Amino acid sequence: MLRGRSLSVTSLGGLPRWEAELPVEDLLLFEVSWEVTNKVGGIYTVIQTKAKTTADEWGENYFLIGPYFEHNMKTQVEQCEPVNDAVSKAVDTMNKHGCQVHFGRWLIEGSPYVVLFDIGYSAWNLDKWKGDLWEACNVGIPYHDQEANDMLIFGSLTAWFLKEVTDHADGKHVIAQFHEWQAGTGLILSRARKLPIATVFTTHATLLGRYLCAANIDFYNHLDKFNIDKEAGERQIYHRYCMERASVHCAHVFTTVSEITAIEAEHMLKRKPDVVTPNGLNVKKFSAVHEFQNLHAMYKARIQDFVRGHFYGHLDFDLEKTLFLFIAGRYEFSNKGADIFLESLSRLNFLLRVHKSDVTVVVFFIMPAKTNNFNVETLKGQAVRKQLWDTAHSVKEKFGKKLYDALLRGEIPDMNNILDRDDLTIMKRAIFSTQVILHPEFLSSTSPLLPMDYEEFVRGCHLGVFPSYYEPWGYTPAECTVMGIPSVTTNLSGFGCFMQEHVADPTAYGIYIVDRRFRSPDDSCNQLTQFLYGFCKQSRRQRIIQRNRTERLSDLLDWRYLGRYYQHARHLTLSRAFPDKFHMEPTSPPTTEGFKYPRPSSVPPSPSGSQVSSPQSSDAEDENEDERYDEEEEAERDRLNIKSPFSLGRVPRGKKKLHGEYKN
């Protein structure tokens, strides 16, 4: 960790070497996002999981800025007084001038400081701030766009706060990183007022890109053909698009989360990102190597219990030969790939029937949507399952007692008489109940239907399927990976592209990547079907091997490794914002040359490489299967690869200045 050290070190696998030392204690780092303590989408996960790594590095000089909501404040934030003098004075000044600024520690790993602005309390100043934005960049906001109005208030408060901080910074230099267009007005106003801060803008998805992809347009193959202004205007988001684009061009450094989104941003926002900052997770390793396999078995049993109740009366399949698949995310039918997933399931069903497979596939769609209440039949089905379980245990207790009494008397009991009429009546009553049809409920540990949190549910499934068309990063398959659960992704997701770059044979490691960029939708659907069918044909032993490999990839997604990309972006923005104060030689972004997981030589084979060699499903261990697999040998080879240092090349002097590369 770098707390209290100079940033001129080159440890941690090759961090940038700077010409001048820059102690962390001389810096203040602010990260600004609408999703600080406020879960809306994936940015919340980025900030929440990255907080510990960043707080370990920056210590007391790291702050998050977000909106204040009373219910979030009560449950997630511990109020306290700012220790930093500049921050304390900024909070006091704003509160004295008619604002409500709250300060505390966010109760997550790392316990970072948070500064939260009450948007509603400051809405009285909206008209003035609309005038400020117009003077800064000639962007106007319609009165009826409540969300954009809220973002302007949030951004105006952020810029005000940063000005107060820099006025009392006492020689410390300020870096501010803004996430997405929602925080962008704070960046625009800060630069328009020439505040002495180094700015980074990060886009996690472009506004117009998300809209265009939802309209079933061949987006990625026509990136250079769109009339951007016309498309944004027709969708009534032109003012939002202008706010986003102005933020991008005002920033000293522009970053995005994946190579695929970098290409998109270059066309949609007319600026090529300076650094790609992949999204990571806090990866926790178990002390027992295969503990995650035990968790899979435990949570799979809970899902099996739910299925017993859900299909009660129609349970004509073997649960021990049943695979659980799921898709999760926002309810964006085509963007998230729910459309081709449904079609591929139809084709998979045909293949399983034609080949007379004894495997059953149960699929869950975990997508939050409006519901009125539980389906009564669903509740009844789960109650029936529980009643059957309780009945069986009750009869078992009576049976055991009668058997024990008979043996004590030295008798062999008459099995025809050991169950009396009352026992038979109880069992018949339990059977004569109705069946289940629908389960319209999101996952929760308090649910009466399927009492499991999302993480527990994922661990209990066999495969996550996320064939997204628009997915700038993709936290759902990433979360599967760190839990040791194989997943399907695409080459249009940042996660899929990242894995293709780092893993020689992703399918062998349980990462199935569907080509949705260079194939027709029908061909992509066929490829997805083949992946699913190949997975269904694996034996239990092969699935265990694959889960072991999948879990080993989690090191690739650890913030302890991926955090260096954010580090590089901050170094770069300091050199651009304060070139006269910090004589730093710019460096190129971290590279991963020689940093790749090799292709395993053992089972299970890649379905895309050889469908013929895919083994038939087997519930038991097969001693005749390929014995070349050596878990420890493979794991050690992977550990050596993940420890390979990142290299950092230098950018030649005299390079042409880029966007935002000028003095404040």
Side-chain angles (χ1 to χ4, degrees):
M1 301 306 172
L2 297 177
R3 184 185 298 173
R5 292 189 189 176
S6 154
L7 290 186
S8 64
V9 296
T10 57
S11 59
L12 286 180
L15 292 176
R17 181 187 296 278
W18 300 100
E19 290 182 344
E21 291 191 351
L22 186 65
V24 171
E25 57 266 24
D26 287 346
L27 291 170
L28 295 176
L29 172 62
F30 295 89
E31 258 190 282
V32 188
S33 171
W34 185 254
E35 297 197 32
V36 170
T37 75
N38 177 41
K39 187 168 186 178
V40 178
I43 301 173
Y44 177 92
T45 305
V46 175
I47 293 170
Q48 182 217 19
T49 57
K50 185 169 60 65
K52 184 181 188 307
T53 302
T54 312
D56 285 344
E57 179 187 344
W58 289 82
E60 302 290 295
N61 292 350
Y62 174 50
F63 305 86
L64 290 160
I65 297 176
Y68 167 82
F69 293 102
E70 184 178 5
H71 59 282
N72 291 339
M73 186 77 183
K74 287 181 177 179
T75 58
Q76 298 186 50
V77 180
E78 179 186 18
Q79 283 192 277
C80 63
E81 293 298 319
V83 175
N84 183 276
D85 187 55
V87 173
S88 179
K89 289 179 178 178
V91 171
D92 289 343
T93 300
M94 292 181 69
N95 283 334
K96 287 176 183 177
H97 285 81
C99 301
Q100 274 201 358
V101 184
H102 302 264
F103 188 87
R105 283 192 180 273
W106 191 2
L107 300 178
I108 58 174
E109 282 193 279
S111 301
Y113 289 123
V114 290
V115 181
L116 305 177
F117 303 130
D118 190 324
I119 306 303
Y121 199 82
S122 299
W124 57 273
N125 223 357
L126 178 60
D127 288 341
K128 177 185 179 301
W129 286 335
K130 282 190 176 183
D132 291 344
L133 183 66
W134 179 261
E135 289 180 11
C137 59
N138 287 354
V139 174
I141 300 177
Y143 74 92
H144 57 77
D145 189 343
Q146 184 62 52
E147 184 180 8
N149 287 330
D150 286 348
M151 300 314 156
L152 175 58
I153 298 171
F154 177 53
S156 300
L157 290 168
T158 300
W160 183 358
F161 176 79
L162 291 174
K163 180 188 183 304
E164 297 296 335
V165 168
T166 54
D167 285 349
H168 303 94
D170 193 25
K172 292 184 184 291
H173 300 95
V174 176
I175 306 174
Q177 181 163 11
F178 300 81
H179 292 269
E180 283 292 276
W181 73 274
Q182 289 97 329
T185 50
L187 190 157
I188 297 167
L189 294 170
S190 296
R191 296 307 305 278
R193 296 165 186 171
K194 294 181 167 45
L195 299 187
I197 60 175
T199 57
V200 185
F201 182 76
T202 300
T203 184
H204 298 256
T206 71
L207 266 172
L208 191 53
R210 189 180 295 281
Y211 274 82
L212 289 171
C213 288
N216 291 319
I217 291 174
D218 187 4
F219 178 68
Y220 291 99
N221 292 319
H222 294 84
L223 278 172
D224 57 343
K225 298 179 177 63
F226 291 112
N227 183 332
I228 303 300
D229 292 332
K230 176 176 177 291
E231 297 288 352
E234 288 180 349
R235 287 159 177 79
Q236 300 182 23
I237 58 166
Y238 186 68
H239 57 289
R240 296 188 182 195
Y241 167 73
C242 290
M243 292 163 68
E244 179 183 38
R245 184 165 168 176
S247 304
V248 167
H249 288 268
C250 283
H252 290 101
V253 169
F254 172 42
T255 79
T256 190
V257 297
S258 64
E259 293 292 347
I260 193 72
T261 311
I263 297 170
E264 173 190 344
E266 189 172 0
H267 289 89
M268 295 289 109
L269 301 172
K270 305 305 179 184
R271 180 176 178 182
K272 184 177 181 179
D274 301 291
V275 184
V276 171
T277 52
N279 289 336
L281 289 162
N282 279 337
V283 177
K284 297 179 180 178
K285 294 290 187 180
F286 294 103
S287 53
V289 178
H290 296 300
E291 180 59 25
F292 76 97
Q293 296 277 16
N294 298 333
L295 291 176
H296 167 70
M298 179 173 70
Y299 293 126
K300 181 180 71 174
R302 290 195 194 176
I303 298 175
Q304 287 175 331
D305 276 345
F306 167 78
V307 170
R308 288 186 179 98
H310 191 82
F311 291 99
Y312 172 72
H314 301 278
L315 191 62
D316 58 353
F317 52 90
D318 186 353
L319 277 175
E320 293 304 319
K321 294 182 179 179
T322 298
L323 300 179
F324 300 128
L325 279 56
F326 77 100
I327 184 173
R330 288 187 301 274
Y331 187 61
E332 297 178 10
F333 192 68
S334 57
N335 277 1
K336 295 300 182 184
D339 50 355
I340 76 161
F341 185 31
L342 281 169
E343 176 58 31
S344 67
L345 288 173
S346 173
R347 300 180 188 188
L348 173 64
N349 189 59
F350 173 78
L351 288 176
L352 292 174
R353 287 179 177 274
V354 166
H355 294 285
K356 295 181 171 54
S357 173
D358 60 354
V359 171
T360 300
V361 176
V362 173
V363 182
F364 295 85
F365 282 73
I366 310 297
M367 290 179 165
K370 290 184 179 179
T371 57
N372 293 323
N373 210 325
F374 290 110
N375 183 299
V376 175
E377 299 301 319
T378 303
L379 288 171
K380 187 181 292 185
Q382 295 303 321
V384 167
R385 180 199 62 78
K386 187 177 185 304
Q387 182 183 354
L388 288 174
W389 177 261
D390 292 342
T391 299
H393 273 263
S394 174
V395 172
K396 182 182 73 173
E397 290 295 323
K398 289 180 66 177
F399 179 94
K401 187 176 184 304
K402 290 179 180 179
L403 177 61
Y404 177 64
D405 290 341
L407 293 176
L408 282 177
R409 294 193 300 269
E411 301 173 358
I412 300 296
D414 183 352
M415 302 305 291
N416 293 321
N417 297 324
I418 201 165
L419 292 177
D420 58 29
R421 183 180 295 274
D422 289 341
D423 297 328
L424 295 174
T425 300
I426 291 172
M427 289 189 287
K428 287 179 181 179
R429 186 180 299 158
I431 292 172
F432 292 162
S433 299
T434 190
Q435 66 274 8
V436 180
I437 303 299
L438 182 62
H439 165 48
E441 172 69 4
F442 200 65
L443 292 169
S444 168
S445 59
T446 59
S447 168
L449 297 175
L450 184 55
M452 300 175 73
D453 288 326
Y454 179 73
E455 179 179 333
E456 297 171 339
F457 173 79
V458 171
R459 287 190 182 277
C461 287
H462 295 92
L463 182 71
V465 185
F466 316 104
S468 303
Y469 184 78
Y470 188 77
E471 193 70 81
W473 176 245
Y475 258 121
T476 43
E479 288 166 339
C480 285
T481 302
V482 300
M483 291 184 233
I485 301 301
S487 63
V488 175
T489 183
T490 74
N491 61 350
L492 290 181
S493 77
F495 173 81
C497 295
F498 184 81
M499 284 300 171
Q500 281 183 322
E501 180 184 354
H502 291 89
V503 184
D505 183 5
T507 53
Y509 282 86
I511 309 294
Y512 299 89
I513 302 174
V514 177
D515 182 358
R516 296 208 62 183
R517 188 173 188 186
F518 303 109
R519 294 190 183 204
S520 69
D522 187 64
D523 286 344
S524 296
C525 191
N526 279 334
Q527 186 184 25
L528 174 57
T529 304
Q530 287 301 318
F531 282 150
L532 298 180
Y533 183 58
F535 186 83
C536 290
K537 292 170 68 177
Q538 288 184 7
S539 67
R540 174 174 289 184
R541 176 175 181 268
Q542 289 179 311
R543 292 197 300 270
I544 291 172
I545 292 171
Q546 194 173 60
R547 283 197 295 271
N548 286 337
R549 290 178 181 157
T550 302
E551 196 271 343
R552 287 206 300 275
L553 293 183
S554 61
D555 286 334
L556 275 176
L557 303 171
D558 198 324
W559 275 122
R560 289 175 296 176
Y561 292 96
L562 297 183
R564 69 191 69 197
Y565 291 94
Y566 275 85
Q567 236 172 17
H568 172 74
R570 290 162 189 156
H571 291 168
L572 188 58
T573 195
L574 281 169
S575 68
R576 290 182 179 179
F578 309 112
D580 296 336
K581 296 181 180 179
F582 302 105
H583 304 288
M584 303 174 182
E585 182 178 345
T587 68
S588 61
T591 62
T592 54
E593 186 177 350
F595 181 64
K596 198 163 187 174
Y597 280 72
R599 177 177 286 106
S601 59
S602 56
V603 292
S606 165
S608 60
S610 174
Q611 287 295 329
V612 177
S613 62
S614 297
Q616 295 299 316
S617 175
S618 171
D619 193 50
E621 300 290 342
D622 187 351
E623 295 180 358
N624 296 322
E625 285 185 4
D626 194 338
E627 293 299 334
R628 290 176 295 165
Y629 174 72
D630 188 318
E631 166 81 22
E632 289 304 318
E633 182 182 323
E634 274 195 14
E636 180 59 29
R637 188 164 69 248
D638 287 343
R639 278 192 290 270
L640 291 174
N641 278 290
I642 192 68
K643 289 179 180 178
S644 297
F646 282 62
S647 62
L648 285 157
R650 297 196 179 279
V651 174
R653 291 183 182 274
K655 183 181 176 184
K656 181 181 176 181
K657 287 179 182 270
L658 301 174
H659 301 271
E661 196 171 351
Y662 47 81
K663 299 178 185 178
N664 280 290

